[in-house]
Amino acid sequence: MTEWSFSPIFDSYAIAGIAAAVLLALLAVPPNFGRLTRSRKLVLTALRLAVVLLLLFALLRPTRVQTITRTEPATLIVLADRSRSMSQPHVAGGQSRWDAQRTAVDAARAAAAELSQDIEVRAWTYSQSLQPFDFQQGLANASLDGSTDMGTAVRTAVRGQLGRRLAGVVLLGDGVQTVPAPEVELDDAARELARLGCPLYTVAFGPAGAAAQSRDVAVENLPDQYTVFVKNELVVRGLVRVNGYVNQGIPVELAITNERGESRSLGTRTVAVPLDGGQVDVAFPFAPQETGTYKLTLTAAPRPGELTTQNNSLGAYLHVLEGGLKVLYLEGQLRHEQRFIARALDASPDIDLEFQWLDSRRRASWPVDLSAVLDNPRFDVLLIGDLDASALGPQQLEAIAAAVRGGRGLAMLGGYHSFGAGGYGETPLAPAFPIKMDKFERQNFDEPPREDLHWPGPLRMGPARDHSLTRLGAGSLGSAGSPVGAGGPVGAGSPIGAGGPAGNREGVGGDRASDNASDTVARWRALPPLDGANRFQGISDAPGVQVILETAEKAPLMVSRDYGEGRVLAFAGDSTWRWSMRGFQDEHRRFWRQMILWLARREDRIRYDTWIRLAQRRVNLGARLAFSAGVRAPTGEPLEGAELVAELIEPNGQRSPLRLSRNKGEWNGVVERTQATGDYRIEIRATNAGQPAGQTRGEFLVFDQDLELATSAADHEQLARLAEATREFGGALVPSEKLPELLRDIASRNRQFKVEVQTQWRLGDTALDAWFFFLAVTALLSFEWLLRKRWNLH
């Protein structure tokens, strides 16, 4: 359909009409043509009228809108199951499910050929990955492998076609999901199709009645590994599927086995399902009391008449780490320093930071009740930023002082309302600080900062002595120390690294100590200066007070002391975030990590971290297992120059080396084939410059339990439920013999899916229009000029 309209200039017919009237009026003025015949006058007038009409045509800008109705291109996704369960019978005593699937695809090839005239057919086979195949060529003989992961297969295929209209997804298979922890759950994949308005057609292979006839209890979907800090609560969750024992109580037990092989029960739950084939979630919360590696086993008690008990239990591994540090950070102003400190501490997996913002704009509600968090015995370190003492109040400050005396660490950071400026000099917390404060330092809110309380920037900072807090490089300063910007002797080195479970240390001494200490001094000299800092009025005369960091003029910037069983730091800076911004991220992370560890009396934890990561912790007998390993420096970065050695320890204790290949900051390896069931270990030993840099190990379980073949039942109900999620768009469970009819129906639906596409042309929108108009006007005027010349008109 074609429609014409006008788009006058300035969107006004009035303006176009006025311009046209003026042009036509000019024609009414008779020119002095001299002696001309009537016919010549008419020719010249007609030429000028043609020019006027062209100009009027341009003023009105005619527009043509053309509407075309056509069928929108679409894609049909076909997914065929190639997992091991497809080797089981399609019907009792008949062909396999794979052969039945091949037959169904072959029968539908003609219908697919007709369909492909309007719809592109994209086909894959799936198990735990997708492999494309040509639907017109059919399913060739294939090696059935892997477990069934329908949800991930559907989402992966669909997201590969984003931007195109989907005519539907045809999912062929037996409907039995066997991957323990799929990347995409089945229901999530079905809901995503519903959101896209895409129908899901499911085609089942395998006997539907087998599920009702089988009697089975299976433990499914137990994560294969857990990691928790000692004494922290962990919840172990598993999924139990029950066939044939409706409403019968089934005991489920969780057992834990330590490294010495000693086992004990963590409890028993009795579960029951109201529907055949139903699933029930079981949860076991507990808090491990000792560090180490443990094996967890979740077992459902065997029931009378079960066809198989292989799937009644699953194992997992638990790594209990030495207690992680809990840090509470109280801040009165949201600022760059706070965000960069949080980022630096989050890079340490053993430091858990909780942030509390006490907004100074809400001072009317101060003091804020923080008893719930301050009384939590899990907090090891308290950081106080730019926060006035009135935000906490005397009672809570007294509680903080008591907590520090009892062993917690405390650090106050620089800010306009920190230390004396924040009113801490008259609080119960004042005796804990290693600096002197008095009431005359108080900084009032909403007033300009007092210059006598702050050092102006730029302000360079450096070590005043050798201390674990000052070691940013590979070594340490000598006992005499050397502030930044100054030279001086460097004394003997001290241990700087610890790695592996045994806490291996690497000593520094002699020339090597001098080189390492020089590296530390050089790093401090290279750091960007602070924007400014709090000016301490004096150093406390309490025993054990030490100046750790100072300016080049010897003004103290970080001062420490022991207070009871705890440690306290006063740090005047509030702009170390500039280190990260200027490329010193490693130094920034190490500085703040070392501060937390020192406050918690765990400075000996500055060590190399040797790690191993397994692709999975449970593997079938004979399967391959990939793993990766590496060593991290105390800053969290890969340790350059490290070398790794890996060994496989089998259940009988036999050891064999494993080959490793390095890829940037990590090493990759593969356990090619396991020969027996049981518990295996991969041991990693790391060295750096010929010295031990730590060791670690990763455990995995090899079992002879094939969930793909554990039951002969095809899950027609699950396939029907998935299709039901897209029923409003046409989704349905389709018998395999009706697959050709389904494809023809999809083709018919697509032909009814028409879209209207409009194209618009308007005079002057393209350069071609402009040139055509220009040439037409020029031609008319030129022709008129030639006639006038020929007729001797001037």
Side-chain angles (χ1 to χ4, degrees):
M1 182 177 64
T2 303
E3 296 179 354
W4 286 91
S5 61
F6 293 100
S7 300
I9 60 172
F10 304 114
D11 291 327
S12 173
Y13 281 101
I15 294 176
I18 293 171
V22 172
L23 292 172
L24 291 173
L26 293 176
L27 290 177
V29 178
N32 184 12
F33 290 127
R35 293 178 176 272
L36 284 176
T37 64
R38 179 180 177 83
S39 60
R40 289 184 177 183
K41 288 183 180 181
L42 289 175
V43 169
L44 293 177
T45 303
L47 288 173
R48 293 185 179 184
L49 178 60
V51 173
V52 171
L53 291 176
L54 275 177
L55 293 175
L56 178 60
F57 193 65
L59 291 173
L60 292 174
R61 292 195 298 181
T63 303
R64 183 192 66 193
V65 176
Q66 190 172 19
T67 303
I68 301 174
T69 302
R70 60 180 175 84
T71 303
E72 184 181 16
T75 299
L76 176 67
I77 294 174
V78 179
L79 298 170
D81 192 350
R82 73 163 192 281
S83 63
R84 293 189 307 278
S85 64
M86 296 299 286
S87 64
Q88 299 190 87
H90 175 54
V91 294
Q95 64 181 162
S96 70
R97 299 174 191 177
W98 174 257
D99 288 336
Q101 186 174 242
R102 288 176 57 193
T103 300
V105 170
D106 288 341
R109 284 161 58 184
E114 299 174 15
L115 176 71
S116 62
Q117 297 176 8
D118 301 309
I119 298 176
E120 181 184 8
V121 179
R122 301 292 304 279
W124 292 269
T125 60
Y126 69 90
S127 56
Q128 289 172 273
S129 61
L130 293 179
Q131 291 183 4
F133 77 94
D134 187 344
F135 197 95
Q136 292 302 318
Q137 299 297 323
L139 286 167
N141 290 324
S143 175
L144 304 182
D145 61 4
S147 301
T148 307
D149 187 358
M150 293 182 287
T152 306
V154 169
R155 175 176 288 182
T156 302
V158 168
R159 293 198 170 179
Q161 305 302 312
L162 290 180
R164 295 178 59 89
R165 185 173 69 85
L166 291 177
V169 175
V170 180
L171 179 66
L172 298 87
D174 57 20
V176 180
Q177 176 87 355
T178 57
V179 171
E183 180 182 340
V184 181
E185 296 290 346
L186 281 170
D187 291 338
D188 292 339
R191 283 192 290 266
E192 183 169 327
L193 290 178
R195 287 194 297 270
L196 294 172
C198 174
L200 173 63
Y201 307 100
T202 54
V203 182
F205 296 91
Q213 297 166 6
S214 64
R215 295 165 65 80
D216 186 44
V217 177
V219 176
E220 301 177 346
N221 286 1
L222 177 70
D224 58 10
Q225 60 180 324
Y226 296 87
T227 302
V228 67
F229 289 113
V230 67
K231 299 183 180 180
N232 284 5
E233 185 176 81
L234 168 72
V235 178
V236 177
R237 295 185 180 276
L239 199 65
V240 179
R241 182 190 292 274
V242 180
N243 289 323
Y245 300 98
V246 175
N247 291 323
Q248 296 186 28
I250 301 172
V252 180
E253 180 186 39
L254 179 66
I256 186 170
T257 305
N258 62 21
E259 297 173 88
R260 298 182 297 275
E262 301 167 344
S263 298
R264 64 184 178 91
S265 175
L266 293 177
T268 300
R269 305 281 188 272
T270 300
V271 302
V273 296
L275 298 174
D276 198 26
Q279 296 175 324
V280 61
D281 182 70
V282 290
F284 292 85
F286 82 105
Q289 300 300 307
E290 296 181 359
T291 61
T293 300
Y294 300 85
K295 182 181 178 182
L296 300 173
T297 306
L298 186 64
T299 304
R303 310 306 297 160
E306 271 195 85
L307 297 179
T308 177
T309 59
Q310 275 189 319
N311 54 6
N312 282 50
S313 67
L314 276 180
Y317 287 97
L318 168 65
H319 298 280
V320 183
L321 306 178
E322 183 181 348
L325 294 176
K326 191 80 171 178
V327 179
L328 176 62
Y329 186 178
L330 305 179
E331 180 63 75
Q333 299 289 337
L334 294 183
R335 50 187 181 162
H336 293 307
E337 186 77 337
Q338 164 259 318
R339 290 194 295 271
F340 279 81
I341 290 174
R343 188 180 304 170
L345 297 181
D346 284 343
S348 297
D350 55 348
I351 297 178
D352 183 14
L353 178 70
E354 181 172 327
F355 178 72
Q356 293 273 352
W357 176 32
L358 282 64
D359 192 349
S360 61
R361 295 171 299 182
R362 300 178 179 177
R363 298 191 296 275
S365 62
W366 285 1
V368 178
D369 184 9
L370 296 176
S371 56
V373 290
L374 291 176
D375 293 342
N376 188 341
R378 291 175 54 203
F379 283 110
D380 302 284
V381 175
L382 175 64
L383 298 181
I384 300 179
D386 189 2
L387 181 66
D388 196 271
S390 58
L392 299 173
Q395 292 184 344
Q396 293 187 130
L397 289 171
E398 173 57 42
I400 292 173
V404 176
R405 288 194 297 270
R408 295 192 191 182
L410 169 67
M412 180 166 285
L413 315 180
Y416 293 127
H417 291 274
S418 301
F419 307 109
Y424 287 90
E426 298 180 288
T427 68
L429 193 58
F433 283 100
I435 61 171
K436 295 179 180 179
M437 299 177 288
D438 61 53
K439 62 182 179 180
F440 299 108
E441 296 180 69
R442 190 65 183 263
Q443 170 72 57
N444 295 323
F445 282 97
D446 303 323
E447 291 185 0
R450 290 174 49 180
E451 295 183 1
D452 62 317
L453 300 180
H454 302 277
W455 294 108
L459 193 67
R460 290 207 167 270
M461 174 173 63
R465 64 181 64 246
D466 176 32
H467 199 281
S468 64
L469 292 171
T470 67
R471 296 169 193 154
L472 302 184
S476 63
L477 288 168
S479 58
S482 177
V484 74
V490 178
S494 61
I496 66 165
N504 175 73
R505 293 179 180 269
E506 178 184 343
V508 186
D511 293 338
R512 183 174 180 181
S514 177
D515 292 342
N516 289 337
S518 298
D519 178 61
T520 294
V521 173
R523 288 179 185 243
W524 277 102
R525 288 174 176 168
L527 291 176
L530 301 176
D531 293 342
N534 288 67
R535 186 194 298 260
F536 295 149
Q537 301 304 307
I539 304 301
S540 171
D541 53 8
V545 173
Q546 290 185 324
V547 176
I548 308 298
L549 295 171
E550 63 186 7
T551 68
E553 292 75 23
K554 304 291 187 179
L557 293 177
M558 177 184 282
V559 188
S560 72
R561 68 164 296 188
D562 288 348
Y563 182 64
E565 298 298 321
R567 285 176 169 177
V568 181
L569 274 179
F571 178 46
D574 66 348
S575 52
T576 62
W577 62 273
R578 291 198 177 276
W579 301 357
S580 287
M581 295 295 290
R582 297 282 296 276
F584 294 89
Q585 294 91 342
D586 290 350
E587 289 80 1
H588 186 262
R589 282 195 296 266
R590 185 163 185 168
F591 175 77
W592 286 102
R593 174 179 167 82
Q594 288 176 168
M595 182 186 295
I596 298 302
L597 294 176
W598 183 86
L599 288 168
R601 294 186 181 272
R602 297 189 188 179
E603 59 268 37
D604 60 338
R605 289 177 58 125
I606 300 175
R607 60 192 181 194
Y608 299 135
D609 174 23
T610 305
W611 58 269
I612 183 172
R613 182 170 56 248
L614 279 66
Q616 57 191 101
R617 296 281 181 164
R618 289 192 298 267
V619 296
N620 279 308
L621 183 63
R624 298 172 76 250
L625 174 66
F627 67 93
S628 55
V631 186
R632 283 186 287 261
T635 60
E637 301 299 321
L639 182 62
E640 297 295 336
E643 296 295 334
L644 268 64
V645 175
E647 273 191 317
L648 176 67
I649 296 91
E650 299 184 27
N652 60 6
Q654 181 178 346
R655 291 174 173 263
S656 57
L658 294 172
R659 179 178 297 178
L660 296 175
S661 61
R662 185 165 186 173
N663 181 18
K664 296 183 180 179
E666 68 179 36
W667 285 256
N668 300 313
V670 175
V671 178
E672 290 293 347
R673 187 176 180 84
T674 51
Q675 304 294 332
T677 61
D679 296 308
Y680 286 72
R681 296 197 312 273
I682 298 174
E683 287 191 356
I684 302 293
R685 293 187 299 276
T687 58
N688 182 41
Q691 299 296 320
Q695 63 183 26
T696 189
R697 67 184 184 186
E699 298 82 1
F700 64 97
L701 173 66
V702 175
F703 61 101
D704 190 11
Q705 174 184 330
D706 195 339
L707 295 178
E708 281 288 309
L709 306 177
T711 177
S712 60
D715 199 340
H716 289 227
E717 292 184 2
Q718 178 155 266
L719 291 174
R721 178 176 56 81
L722 295 174
E724 179 67 18
T726 63
R727 182 169 61 88
E728 64 177 299
F729 308 106
L733 175 65
V734 179
S736 59
E737 62 271 14
K738 292 191 176 182
L739 182 57
E741 183 179 332
L742 170 64
L743 298 185
R744 294 189 183 96
D745 181 60
I746 293 173
S748 175
R749 289 176 183 231
N750 186 72
R751 294 188 189 102
Q752 298 172 9
F753 198 92
K754 307 293 185 181
V755 294
E756 291 186 348
V757 179
Q758 290 187 337
T759 59
Q760 176 179 292
W761 169 84
R762 184 174 63 182
L763 180 65
D765 282 352
T766 65
L768 182 61
D769 294 344
W771 277 106
F772 177 79
F773 182 80
F774 171 75
L775 292 174
V777 173
T778 302
L780 290 171
L781 294 176
S782 298
F783 187 49
E784 193 255 0
W785 180 79
L786 287 173
L787 291 177
R788 288 171 57 84
K789 291 291 289 182
R790 186 170 182 178
W791 296 337
N792 295 319
L793 298 176
H794 301 286

